[in-house]
Amino acid sequence: MTYQVHIIGGGLAGSEAAWQLARRGVSVRLSEMRGGGGETPAHQTDGLAELVCSNSFRSDDDEKNAVGLLHHEMRRLDSLIMRAGEVARVPAGSAMAVDRDLFSAEVQKALEEHPNVEIVREQVDSLPEGGMCIVATGPLTAASLAQSIVKATGEDRLAFFDAIAPIVHRDSIDMDVAWFQSRWNKGDGKDYINCPMTKEQYLAFHQGVLDAEKGDFREWEADTPYFEGCMPIEVMAERGVDTLRFGPMKPVGLDNPRDATEEFPQGRWPHAVVQLRQDNKLGTLWNMVGFQTKMKYGAQVELFRTIPGLEKAEFARLGGMHRNTFINSPQLLDRQLRLRTAPHIRFAGQVTGCEGYVESTAVGLLAGMMTACELAGGEWTSPPPTSAMGALLSHITGDAEAESYQPMNVNFGLFPPLHEVKKKSRQEAYTTRGKTDFGDWLAGLEAIPA
Ligand SMILES: Cc1cc2nc3c(=O)[nH]c(=O)nc-3n(C[C@H](O)[C@H](O)[C@H](O)COP(=O)(O)OP(=O)(O)OC[C@H]3O[C@@H](n4cnc5c(N)ncnc54)[C@H](O)[C@@H]3O)c2cc1C
């Protein structure tokens, strides 16, 4: 099949970009190395849009949360990832979580069935010299292509760590100790399993984390900084005895029914809590929320089985940490995600230095739309900076400090500030303004077919 656009990488961003082009009548070659001899340290299947760690797209609250607003905007643009996410959705309070296998299968099916998409299982080792191309090879870009990118950009690539949280078989959790509840009873109130800890248990656990044997860092990984939102528990534990209790082990809003008294019939908050969130549609697998770690596997099993309720835990997957490759986008890309020195090449997804499943998808979606617009000879207008997509795009393509550029989740700090609005109502004000401005942008977008 002859094609108009070559997309390299069939992850979240590449799949979304392919969909956005195909539905606008553009023919696409989607090259994915998994299934064609290539692999990454984190992917476990050959499926397109595989989720490599958590099964959550985070908050789905589009009235108070920036990533929830991004969900809203992507749905308005007929995002394939959001569509498949709805089909594969599992309960997760106010968050959007999915059955990862079903989700990946839905994305793959939609692209396989589309007449404008040809999926080719092949590793691409160098940047194409001509033709329109989108590079969406993610944080685990194959080394050969990374070398080619370094050669083309003249920039050295940067690296830091992301982390994988352990997954536990549901039937190995002791529900006489643990209980179902979402923090503050949000969602349907029962989307998380909670394992409580007394002060003594917590202190012993904290010491156990400090003492546990950790994996070695390779030479080239040694001095790389952690991304704050994905910090391993041992790094948090080193920061102070209560850091974990104010982070992933926060007990607030969680009433242990086994501590119910006449005065507190609903129960009391424990000293600390380990939360588990459903990881597959069947409800058989649950992941330990925020428990990414570089502890050795044996040490993880030993220590995590001291957690009340997890004494007999069987682990479907243990925690791990991996490298993350991304380019200095503010320096290298123009406002349309094109490489300044080779504008036939766009970058999309996490390799641009955005962070997260949803953000990577959003940047893939934009890359697809921009490419379709260019092919149609239209004049592209970016979404307004008051919208989540606009704010994210502006950050990546120039608003971030190039000198200290590091991956970033979408957040209201990237939006033009609303100082005049009282702090208490600011989140709603951001989303209200964002939705209106995004709607206006969408209505005025004539350059490309809807
Ligand atoms: C270990 C780890 C854990 C993470 N955990 C989370 C998390 O829990 N939540 C979250 O929101 N984000 C997480 N992230 C960050 C990020 O959101 C995901 O990596 C996300 O999948 C990025 O989407 P992407 O499309 O940019 O890249 P990917 O989804 O990784 O897709 C890139 C694709 O390109 C392919 N590829 C690479 N090189 C080549 C080549 N040369 N030729 C052909 N194909 C190639 C890969 O096989 C892959 O399928 C994590 C990242 C890592 C590395």
Side-chain angles (χ1 to χ4, degrees), residues 26-61:
V26 178
S27 56
V28 172
R29 178 188 184 97
L30 178 59
S31 298
E32 170 51 55
M33 69 177 178
R34 288 176 294 117
E39 57 181 30
T40 82
H43 291 84
Q44 293 182 359
T45 72
D46 291 342
L48 298 184
E50 177 183 335
L51 302 179
V52 287
C53 180
S54 157
N55 65 329
S56 172
F57 291 162
R58 318 205 303 283
S59 176
D60 201 28
D61 177 357

Side-chain angles (χ1 to χ4, degrees), residues 9 11-13 32-34 53-54 124 136-139 142 162 350 356-357 360:
L12 292 161
E32 170 51 55
M33 69 177 178
R34 288 176 294 117
C53 180
S54 157
V124 177
T137 45
D162 262 323
Q350 181 127 336
Y357 298 149
S360 298

Side-chain angles (χ1 to χ4, degrees), residues 24 336 368-381 447-448:
R24 291 180 169 89
Q336 282 199 47
M369 285 181 77
M370 288 165 174
T371 309
C373 178
E374 194 171 329
L375 281 167
E379 197 175 323
W380 170 256
T381 318
I448 46 174

Side-chain angles (χ1 to χ4, degrees), residues 115 119 124 126 133 140 144 178 180 197 207 209 221 234 250 282 298 357 375 391 416 420:
I119 301 167
V124 177
S126 56
C133 161
L140 304 167
S144 51
F180 282 105
M197 277 191 190
Q207 193 57 47
V209 175
E221 294 174 325
E234 54 271 21
K250 191 164 61 179
L282 290 173
Y357 298 149
L375 281 167
E420 69 285 5

Side-chain angles (χ1 to χ4, degrees), residues 58-363:
R58 318 205 303 283
S59 176
D60 201 28
D61 177 357
D62 64 11
E63 286 175 6
K64 283 195 173 167
N65 191 290
V67 77
L69 182 62
L70 200 50
H71 289 182
H72 165 89
E73 293 170 6
M74 287 161 62
R75 286 186 177 114
R76 293 199 64 180
L77 290 166
D78 188 28
S79 158
L80 172 61
I81 295 302
M82 295 308 291
R83 220 196 245 207
E86 285 307 332
V87 176
R89 197 164 180 153
V90 296
S94 53
M96 179 177 180
V98 301
D99 177 313
R100 64 183 73 230
D101 295 328
L102 184 55
F103 167 74
S104 166
E106 280 294 315
V107 173
Q108 184 156 317
K109 184 165 152 263
L111 292 175
E112 275 171 353
E113 285 175 358
H114 204 293
N116 290 337
V117 181
E118 185 188 11
I119 301 167
V120 185
R121 301 292 182 162
E122 62 181 357
Q123 180 169 320
V124 177
D125 291 324
S126 56
L127 291 173
E129 288 184 3
M132 276 204 191
C133 161
I134 297 176
V135 180
T137 45
L140 304 167
T141 297
S144 51
L145 186 64
Q147 280 310 318
S148 170
I149 294 169
V150 168
K151 209 166 142 207
T153 59
E155 290 286 314
D156 234 354
R157 66 197 156 119
L158 301 170
F160 72 95
F161 296 105
D162 262 323
I164 289 180
I167 293 182
V168 178
H169 289 280
R170 161 71 181 79
D171 58 8
S172 69
I173 303 172
D174 183 354
M175 294 309 292
D176 288 336
V177 176
W179 79 99
F180 282 105
Q181 190 188 4
S182 309
R183 203 181 296 283
W184 306 115
N185 296 313
K186 281 196 172 168
D188 88 351
K190 292 187 169 178
D191 294 344
Y192 291 80
I193 292 177
N194 303 284
C195 300
M197 277 191 190
T198 62
K199 186 169 180 185
E200 294 67 38
Q201 288 166 332
Y202 174 76
L203 291 175
F205 180 79
H206 175 260
Q207 193 57 47
V209 175
L210 293 180
D211 295 344
E213 205 182 342
K214 322 286 185 322
D216 292 331
F217 292 104
R218 286 181 225 163
E219 200 190 315
W220 51 268
E221 294 174 325
D223 297 323
T224 49
Y226 292 113
F227 174 57
E228 289 280 326
C230 220
M231 193 178 292
I233 54 169
E234 54 271 21
V235 175
M236 278 185 266
E238 275 163 18
R239 290 191 170 181
V241 70
D242 277 326
T243 307
L244 281 168
R245 232 166 57 77
F246 286 96
M249 298 179 74
K250 191 164 61 179
V252 298
L254 295 168
D255 309 300
N256 184 354
R258 279 152 208 127
D259 278 346
T261 57
E262 216 168 281
E263 194 185 351
F264 298 101
Q266 79 283 11
R268 306 291 306 268
W269 299 353
H271 188 72
V273 163
V274 174
Q275 285 202 298
L276 295 104
R277 184 177 51 226
Q278 191 173 328
D279 203 76
N280 62 345
K281 198 120 192 160
L282 290 173
T284 50
L285 297 176
W286 289 66
N287 71 59
M288 296 172 69
V289 180
F291 263 59
Q292 48 273 3
T293 178
K294 186 108 175 140
M295 283 160 44
K296 289 220 161 148
Y297 282 177
Q300 288 186 44
V301 173
E302 197 178 321
L303 185 65
F304 295 157
R305 286 193 180 148
T306 67
I307 297 168
L310 299 187
E311 292 87 349
K312 296 193 174 145
E314 292 299 331
F315 296 92
R317 190 168 81 183
L318 285 160
M321 299 188 63
H322 297 277
R323 113 186 114 92
N324 188 340
T325 308
F326 62 99
I327 59 167
N328 192 318
S329 295
Q331 221 165 46
L332 297 173
L333 304 185
D334 71 7
R335 291 287 184 184
Q336 282 199 47
L337 297 165
R338 289 176 297 216
L339 202 54
R340 289 179 204 278
T341 53
H344 64 288
I345 299 172
R346 278 190 168 80
F347 279 80
Q350 181 127 336
V351 73
T352 65
C354 65
E355 170 66 36
Y357 298 149
V358 185
E359 289 84 344
S360 298
T361 305
V363 178

